[in-house]
Short mmCIF file of all heavy atoms in Angstrom, two decimals:
data_model
loop_
_atom_site.label_atom_id
_atom_site.label_comp_id
_atom_site.label_asym_id
_atom_site.label_seq_id
_atom_site.Cartn_x
_atom_site.Cartn_y
_atom_site.Cartn_z
N TRP A 1356 8.28 -2.88 -7.03
CA TRP A 1356 8.48 -2.32 -8.30
C TRP A 1356 10.04 -2.40 -8.73
O TRP A 1356 10.36 -2.52 -9.86
CB TRP A 1356 7.92 -0.89 -8.39
CG TRP A 1356 6.70 -0.91 -9.35
CD1 TRP A 1356 6.59 -0.36 -10.52
CD2 TRP A 1356 5.54 -1.58 -8.96
NE1 TRP A 1356 5.38 -0.61 -11.06
CE2 TRP A 1356 4.63 -1.37 -10.07
CE3 TRP A 1356 4.94 -2.26 -8.03
CZ2 TRP A 1356 3.28 -1.67 -10.12
CZ3 TRP A 1356 3.67 -2.75 -8.11
CH2 TRP A 1356 2.88 -2.46 -9.16
N ASP A 1357 10.86 -2.33 -7.70
CA ASP A 1357 12.29 -2.68 -7.92
C ASP A 1357 12.48 -4.04 -8.46
O ASP A 1357 13.18 -4.28 -9.38
CB ASP A 1357 13.11 -2.59 -6.63
CG ASP A 1357 14.49 -3.12 -6.67
OD1 ASP A 1357 15.30 -2.40 -7.34
OD2 ASP A 1357 14.73 -4.20 -6.35
N SER A 1358 11.80 -5.11 -7.91
CA SER A 1358 11.92 -6.41 -8.52
C SER A 1358 11.31 -6.56 -9.96
O SER A 1358 11.84 -7.24 -10.65
CB SER A 1358 11.24 -7.43 -7.45
OG SER A 1358 11.32 -8.71 -8.02
N LYS A 1359 10.09 -5.89 -10.09
CA LYS A 1359 9.51 -5.89 -11.44
C LYS A 1359 10.37 -5.28 -12.58
O LYS A 1359 10.56 -5.91 -13.73
CB LYS A 1359 8.23 -5.25 -11.31
CG LYS A 1359 7.21 -5.90 -10.68
CD LYS A 1359 5.88 -5.15 -10.62
CE LYS A 1359 4.77 -5.75 -9.89
NZ LYS A 1359 4.14 -7.00 -10.59
N TYR A 1360 10.90 -4.13 -12.23
CA TYR A 1360 11.67 -3.49 -13.23
C TYR A 1360 13.24 -3.32 -13.13
O TYR A 1360 13.78 -3.04 -14.14
CB TYR A 1360 11.06 -2.00 -13.42
CG TYR A 1360 9.75 -1.92 -14.08
CD1 TYR A 1360 8.53 -1.62 -13.27
CD2 TYR A 1360 9.59 -2.09 -15.37
CE1 TYR A 1360 7.38 -1.47 -13.85
CE2 TYR A 1360 8.34 -1.90 -15.96
CZ TYR A 1360 7.24 -1.65 -15.20
OH TYR A 1360 5.87 -1.54 -15.73
N GLY A 1361 13.69 -3.53 -11.95
CA GLY A 1361 15.12 -3.22 -11.78
C GLY A 1361 15.97 -4.48 -11.77
O GLY A 1361 17.06 -4.45 -11.58
N THR A 1362 15.42 -5.52 -12.29
CA THR A 1362 16.21 -6.79 -12.43
C THR A 1362 16.08 -7.34 -13.89
O THR A 1362 15.44 -6.85 -14.71
CB THR A 1362 15.55 -7.80 -11.44
OG1 THR A 1362 14.16 -8.17 -11.86
CG2 THR A 1362 15.49 -7.22 -10.09
N ASP A 1363 16.85 -8.41 -14.04
CA ASP A 1363 16.83 -9.04 -15.28
C ASP A 1363 15.83 -10.22 -15.48
O ASP A 1363 15.62 -10.83 -16.56
CB ASP A 1363 18.15 -9.72 -15.65
CG ASP A 1363 19.25 -8.65 -15.82
OD1 ASP A 1363 18.99 -7.60 -16.20
OD2 ASP A 1363 20.39 -8.96 -15.35
N TRP A 1364 14.94 -10.67 -14.44
CA TRP A 1364 14.06 -11.66 -14.50
C TRP A 1364 12.58 -11.14 -14.95
O TRP A 1364 11.81 -11.29 -14.05
CB TRP A 1364 14.05 -12.40 -13.09
CG TRP A 1364 14.16 -11.73 -11.93
CD1 TRP A 1364 13.13 -11.23 -11.11
CD2 TRP A 1364 15.38 -11.48 -11.13
NE1 TRP A 1364 13.56 -10.73 -10.04
CE2 TRP A 1364 14.91 -10.82 -9.90
CE3 TRP A 1364 16.60 -11.82 -11.36
CZ2 TRP A 1364 15.84 -10.29 -9.01
CZ3 TRP A 1364 17.68 -11.41 -10.33
CH2 TRP A 1364 17.21 -10.73 -9.21
N ASP A 1365 12.59 -10.59 -16.04
CA ASP A 1365 11.24 -10.07 -16.49
C ASP A 1365 10.46 -11.04 -17.27
O ASP A 1365 10.12 -10.90 -18.43
CB ASP A 1365 11.47 -8.76 -17.33
CG ASP A 1365 12.42 -9.01 -18.61
OD1 ASP A 1365 13.16 -10.04 -18.50
OD2 ASP A 1365 12.39 -8.30 -19.50
N VAL A 1366 10.12 -12.24 -16.78
CA VAL A 1366 9.35 -13.26 -17.40
C VAL A 1366 7.87 -12.67 -17.77
O VAL A 1366 7.32 -11.87 -16.86
CB VAL A 1366 9.24 -14.49 -16.55
CG1 VAL A 1366 8.17 -15.43 -17.13
CG2 VAL A 1366 10.50 -15.07 -16.38
N TRP A 1367 7.34 -13.01 -18.82
CA TRP A 1367 6.10 -12.58 -19.21
C TRP A 1367 4.90 -13.10 -18.37
O TRP A 1367 5.14 -14.14 -17.50
CB TRP A 1367 5.81 -12.95 -20.70
CG TRP A 1367 6.02 -14.29 -21.10
CD1 TRP A 1367 5.99 -15.51 -20.43
CD2 TRP A 1367 6.09 -14.73 -22.43
NE1 TRP A 1367 6.24 -16.64 -21.11
CE2 TRP A 1367 6.27 -16.22 -22.40
CE3 TRP A 1367 6.13 -14.18 -23.75
CZ2 TRP A 1367 6.50 -17.07 -23.55
CZ3 TRP A 1367 6.26 -15.05 -24.77
CH2 TRP A 1367 6.48 -16.30 -24.78
N ARG A 1368 3.82 -12.44 -18.47
CA ARG A 1368 2.63 -12.97 -17.53
C ARG A 1368 2.03 -14.16 -18.20
O ARG A 1368 2.30 -14.64 -19.43
CB ARG A 1368 1.55 -11.89 -17.48
CG ARG A 1368 1.99 -10.76 -16.58
CD ARG A 1368 0.90 -9.81 -16.21
NE ARG A 1368 1.25 -8.67 -15.37
CZ ARG A 1368 1.01 -8.76 -14.05
NH1 ARG A 1368 0.33 -9.76 -13.42
NH2 ARG A 1368 1.51 -7.64 -13.17
N PRO A 1369 1.12 -14.82 -17.43
CA PRO A 1369 0.54 -16.08 -17.84
C PRO A 1369 -0.06 -16.01 -19.23
O PRO A 1369 -0.03 -16.95 -20.03
CB PRO A 1369 -0.44 -16.45 -16.74
CG PRO A 1369 0.17 -15.91 -15.55
CD PRO A 1369 0.75 -14.65 -16.00
N THR A 1370 -0.77 -14.98 -19.50
CA THR A 1370 -1.41 -14.78 -20.86
C THR A 1370 -0.46 -15.14 -21.91
O THR A 1370 -0.84 -16.00 -22.90
CB THR A 1370 -2.05 -13.41 -20.95
OG1 THR A 1370 -3.11 -13.28 -20.08
CG2 THR A 1370 -2.71 -13.38 -22.47
N ASP A 1371 0.59 -14.40 -22.00
CA ASP A 1371 1.55 -14.71 -23.10
C ASP A 1371 2.22 -16.05 -22.96
O ASP A 1371 2.62 -16.72 -23.93
CB ASP A 1371 2.61 -13.57 -23.08
CG ASP A 1371 2.11 -12.29 -23.67
OD1 ASP A 1371 1.28 -12.37 -24.52
OD2 ASP A 1371 2.55 -11.21 -23.17
N ALA A 1372 2.44 -16.51 -21.70
CA ALA A 1372 3.24 -17.74 -21.49
C ALA A 1372 2.30 -18.83 -22.04
O ALA A 1372 2.86 -19.82 -22.51
CB ALA A 1372 3.43 -17.94 -19.97
N ILE A 1373 1.03 -18.81 -22.03
CA ILE A 1373 0.15 -19.86 -22.52
C ILE A 1373 -0.22 -19.66 -23.98
O ILE A 1373 -0.12 -20.56 -24.76
CB ILE A 1373 -1.25 -19.70 -21.67
CG1 ILE A 1373 -0.81 -20.12 -20.29
CG2 ILE A 1373 -2.28 -20.74 -22.26
CD1 ILE A 1373 -2.03 -19.89 -19.21
N THR A 1374 -0.55 -18.45 -24.39
CA THR A 1374 -0.88 -18.23 -25.93
C THR A 1374 0.22 -18.19 -26.76
O THR A 1374 0.13 -18.78 -27.93
CB THR A 1374 -1.72 -16.80 -25.99
OG1 THR A 1374 -0.83 -15.84 -25.65
CG2 THR A 1374 -2.93 -16.82 -25.13
N ARG A 1375 1.45 -17.92 -26.33
CA ARG A 1375 2.65 -17.95 -27.07
C ARG A 1375 3.59 -18.96 -26.70
O ARG A 1375 4.87 -18.95 -27.06
CB ARG A 1375 3.36 -16.54 -26.95
CG ARG A 1375 2.32 -15.45 -27.53
CD ARG A 1375 3.11 -14.04 -27.26
NE ARG A 1375 4.35 -14.02 -27.83
CZ ARG A 1375 5.25 -12.96 -27.55
NH1 ARG A 1375 4.85 -11.97 -26.71
NH2 ARG A 1375 6.43 -13.02 -28.22
N ALA A 1376 3.10 -20.08 -26.00
CA ALA A 1376 3.97 -21.15 -25.60
C ALA A 1376 4.88 -21.74 -26.65
O ALA A 1376 5.97 -22.24 -26.49
CB ALA A 1376 3.21 -22.23 -24.84
N GLY A 1377 4.34 -21.76 -27.82
CA GLY A 1377 5.05 -22.35 -28.92
C GLY A 1377 6.39 -21.64 -29.32
O GLY A 1377 7.10 -22.21 -30.06
N GLU A 1378 6.45 -20.39 -28.83
CA GLU A 1378 7.74 -19.72 -29.06
C GLU A 1378 8.87 -20.08 -28.17
O GLU A 1378 10.01 -19.56 -28.38
CB GLU A 1378 7.42 -18.20 -29.00
CG GLU A 1378 6.34 -17.69 -29.97
CD GLU A 1378 6.07 -16.23 -29.86
OE1 GLU A 1378 6.85 -15.50 -29.60
OE2 GLU A 1378 4.82 -15.88 -30.05
N VAL A 1379 8.60 -20.85 -27.20
CA VAL A 1379 9.57 -21.18 -26.15
C VAL A 1379 9.64 -22.67 -26.25
O VAL A 1379 8.81 -23.47 -26.17
CB VAL A 1379 9.10 -20.72 -24.81
CG1 VAL A 1379 10.03 -21.35 -23.70
CG2 VAL A 1379 9.00 -19.20 -24.56
N PRO A 1380 10.90 -23.20 -26.32
CA PRO A 1380 11.11 -24.72 -26.50
C PRO A 1380 10.88 -25.35 -25.23
O PRO A 1380 11.98 -25.78 -24.50
CB PRO A 1380 12.53 -24.75 -27.07
CG PRO A 1380 13.23 -23.60 -26.58
CD PRO A 1380 12.20 -22.47 -26.54
N ASN A 1381 9.72 -25.61 -24.73
CA ASN A 1381 9.46 -26.30 -23.54
C ASN A 1381 8.42 -27.50 -23.98
O ASN A 1381 7.20 -27.05 -24.02
CB ASN A 1381 9.04 -25.47 -22.50
CG ASN A 1381 8.87 -26.20 -21.05
OD1 ASN A 1381 8.45 -27.37 -20.90
ND2 ASN A 1381 9.49 -25.40 -20.11
N PRO A 1382 8.79 -28.65 -24.00
CA PRO A 1382 7.74 -29.70 -24.30
C PRO A 1382 6.60 -29.95 -23.32
O PRO A 1382 5.63 -30.65 -23.67
CB PRO A 1382 8.58 -30.94 -24.57
CG PRO A 1382 9.85 -30.70 -23.57
CD PRO A 1382 10.02 -29.17 -23.69
N GLY A 1383 6.76 -29.34 -22.19
CA GLY A 1383 5.84 -29.62 -21.18
C GLY A 1383 4.67 -28.56 -21.32
O GLY A 1383 3.71 -28.81 -20.38
N ILE A 1384 4.52 -27.67 -22.17
CA ILE A 1384 3.59 -26.69 -22.31
C ILE A 1384 3.00 -26.74 -23.75
O ILE A 1384 3.69 -26.62 -24.75
CB ILE A 1384 3.92 -25.30 -22.05
CG1 ILE A 1384 4.73 -25.19 -20.65
CG2 ILE A 1384 2.76 -24.33 -21.99
CD1 ILE A 1384 5.45 -23.87 -20.58
N VAL A 1385 1.60 -26.89 -23.75
CA VAL A 1385 0.88 -26.98 -25.16
C VAL A 1385 0.19 -25.49 -25.20
O VAL A 1385 -0.50 -25.15 -24.47
CB VAL A 1385 -0.08 -27.97 -25.28
CG1 VAL A 1385 -0.91 -27.92 -26.70
CG2 VAL A 1385 0.51 -29.38 -25.10
N ALA A 1386 0.60 -24.77 -26.24
CA ALA A 1386 -0.09 -23.52 -26.46
C ALA A 1386 -1.47 -23.45 -26.65
O ALA A 1386 -2.00 -24.47 -27.31
CB ALA A 1386 0.67 -22.81 -27.66
N ASP A 1387 -2.21 -22.47 -26.11
CA ASP A 1387 -3.63 -22.29 -26.37
C ASP A 1387 -3.89 -20.77 -26.63
O ASP A 1387 -4.05 -19.89 -25.84
CB ASP A 1387 -4.39 -22.66 -25.04
CG ASP A 1387 -5.93 -22.51 -25.26
OD1 ASP A 1387 -6.28 -22.12 -26.35
OD2 ASP A 1387 -6.67 -22.82 -24.38
N PRO A 1388 -3.87 -20.54 -28.09
CA PRO A 1388 -3.92 -19.22 -28.47
C PRO A 1388 -5.29 -18.44 -28.13
O PRO A 1388 -5.26 -17.20 -28.10
CB PRO A 1388 -3.88 -19.25 -30.05
CG PRO A 1388 -3.29 -20.58 -30.29
CD PRO A 1388 -3.61 -21.43 -29.22
N ALA A 1389 -6.24 -19.29 -27.72
CA ALA A 1389 -7.54 -18.54 -27.32
C ALA A 1389 -7.65 -18.46 -25.84
O ALA A 1389 -8.68 -17.84 -25.36
CB ALA A 1389 -8.73 -19.52 -27.78
N TRP A 1390 -6.66 -18.76 -25.06
CA TRP A 1390 -6.80 -18.64 -23.54
C TRP A 1390 -6.80 -17.23 -23.10
O TRP A 1390 -6.10 -16.33 -23.80
CB TRP A 1390 -5.65 -19.33 -22.97
CG TRP A 1390 -5.67 -19.54 -21.45
CD1 TRP A 1390 -6.24 -20.50 -20.76
CD2 TRP A 1390 -5.15 -18.58 -20.50
NE1 TRP A 1390 -6.24 -20.40 -19.36
CE2 TRP A 1390 -5.56 -19.19 -19.19
CE3 TRP A 1390 -4.57 -17.34 -20.55
CZ2 TRP A 1390 -5.28 -18.58 -17.91
CZ3 TRP A 1390 -4.29 -16.71 -19.33
CH2 TRP A 1390 -4.67 -17.14 -17.96
N GLN A 1391 -7.73 -16.88 -22.17
CA GLN A 1391 -7.75 -15.64 -21.54
C GLN A 1391 -7.77 -15.63 -20.02
O GLN A 1391 -8.43 -16.65 -19.55
CB GLN A 1391 -8.96 -14.85 -22.06
CG GLN A 1391 -8.93 -14.53 -23.48
CD GLN A 1391 -10.23 -13.77 -23.93
OE1 GLN A 1391 -11.29 -14.08 -23.75
NE2 GLN A 1391 -10.08 -12.61 -24.68
N PRO A 1392 -7.33 -14.64 -19.38
CA PRO A 1392 -7.38 -14.65 -17.89
C PRO A 1392 -8.80 -14.29 -17.31
O PRO A 1392 -9.45 -13.69 -18.02
CB PRO A 1392 -6.36 -13.78 -17.46
CG PRO A 1392 -6.26 -12.85 -18.45
CD PRO A 1392 -6.50 -13.58 -19.84
N GLU A 1393 -9.03 -14.97 -16.13
CA GLU A 1393 -10.35 -14.50 -15.51
C GLU A 1393 -10.47 -12.97 -15.24
O GLU A 1393 -11.51 -12.48 -15.12
CB GLU A 1393 -10.45 -15.24 -14.19
CG GLU A 1393 -11.72 -14.96 -13.42
CD GLU A 1393 -13.12 -15.23 -14.14
OE1 GLU A 1393 -13.17 -16.01 -15.10
OE2 GLU A 1393 -14.00 -14.64 -13.72
#
Side-chain angles (χ1 to χ4, degrees):
W1356 255 247
D1357 167 79
S1358 179
K1359 285 181 180 293
Y1360 286 106
T1362 65
D1363 294 328
W1364 40 88
D1365 58 339
V1366 171
W1367 53 17
R1368 283 189 181 261
T1370 298
D1371 284 329
I1373 295 166
T1374 61
R1375 299 173 57 192
E1378 299 175 36
V1379 174
N1381 191 316
I1384 309 169
V1385 177
D1387 181 357
W1390 190 91
Q1391 293 180 311
E1393 174 63 20

